[in-house]
Amino acid sequence: MKKSLLKVPIGFLAALPFIVASCMISDKEDFPDFNEQLAKDIAAIDSYLAANNITAIEDASGIRYVILIDSIGGKKPTIDSCVTANYQGLLISDEQEFDSGENVSFPLNGVIHGWRIGIPLLNVGDSATLYIPSGYAYGPVGIGDVPGNANLIFNVGLTKVGTTYKPSDRSCN
């Protein structure tokens, strides 16, 4: 049974990969350097895009994205915004869905770095596909159904931008 990764308290979710990684790393384990892994991830993402004839915009971070609906002029979130979105998360390796949600609200500074980079590229009303390298997602350890060093695809539709997150009803104001 698939469980939404965003139903876990947002702050905990953002910190979890690092907490787990620090608990699991021993002197004998050899995790790749972030920049080395990022280079591998970008090459794999670019290969996926080429194989599927997808023309994506390249963000300087390494994230690739395709704007599917451009609402032009809607409100853009900042890292300090609370946002509401519809999303679907897929593994690039086999396009297996690992998470999805509708009208899910969250503080943007409490989610994976890939979303912190990608969501502010959108206006309210926009939808996009984000191709996120593993280091901006769940890193070398992974989480749930996401294995370590997994590059991810997120289909995201931004429906609302607010300033305050209300944990009591998981909404943005």
Side-chain angles (χ1 to χ4, degrees):
M1 177 182 206
K2 179 179 63 164
K3 290 191 174 195
S4 173
L5 296 179
L6 287 178
K7 291 183 180 161
V8 174
I10 299 298
F12 177 75
L13 180 60
L16 185 61
F18 304 106
I19 293 168
V20 172
S22 67
C23 292
M24 294 179 68
I25 295 173
S26 73
D27 293 336
K28 295 182 184 192
E29 293 184 86
D30 187 26
F31 287 104
D33 172 78
F34 177 83
N35 290 322
E36 289 174 13
Q37 186 63 45
L38 180 60
K40 289 178 188 176
D41 291 346
I42 290 171
I45 290 169
D46 287 345
S47 177
Y48 173 87
L49 295 171
N52 290 283
N53 296 314
I54 298 169
T55 302
I57 300 167
E58 298 179 9
D59 184 76
S61 66
I63 289 175
R64 307 299 196 239
Y65 64 100
V66 176
I67 302 292
L68 304 171
I69 296 175
D70 189 352
S71 63
I72 303 174
K75 186 174 182 179
K76 278 192 180 290
T78 67
I79 190 65
D80 296 318
S81 296
C82 176
V83 300
T84 303
N86 301 319
Y87 72 94
Q88 175 191 37
L90 307 167
L91 301 173
I92 255 183
S93 60
D94 61 5
E95 298 180 349
Q96 179 70 35
E97 181 179 295
F98 64 86
D99 195 12
S100 65
E102 290 187 28
N103 292 314
V104 178
S105 297
F106 49 90
L108 193 53
N109 63 10
V111 294
I112 63 172
H113 288 305
W115 278 29
R116 293 179 192 187
I117 296 166
I119 299 291
L121 300 170
L122 307 177
N123 297 307
V124 170
D126 287 356
S127 68
T129 301
L130 307 174
Y131 300 90
I132 301 179
S134 67
Y136 294 124
Y138 300 104
V141 177
I143 186 173
D145 292 333
V146 179
N149 293 323
N151 298 314
L152 305 178
I153 302 170
F154 280 100
N155 297 308
V156 180
L158 184 61
T159 60
K160 181 178 179 183
V161 174
T163 56
T164 307
Y165 178 70
K166 289 178 46 184
S168 60
D169 63 358
R170 296 183 174 155
S171 67
C172 289
N173 291 325

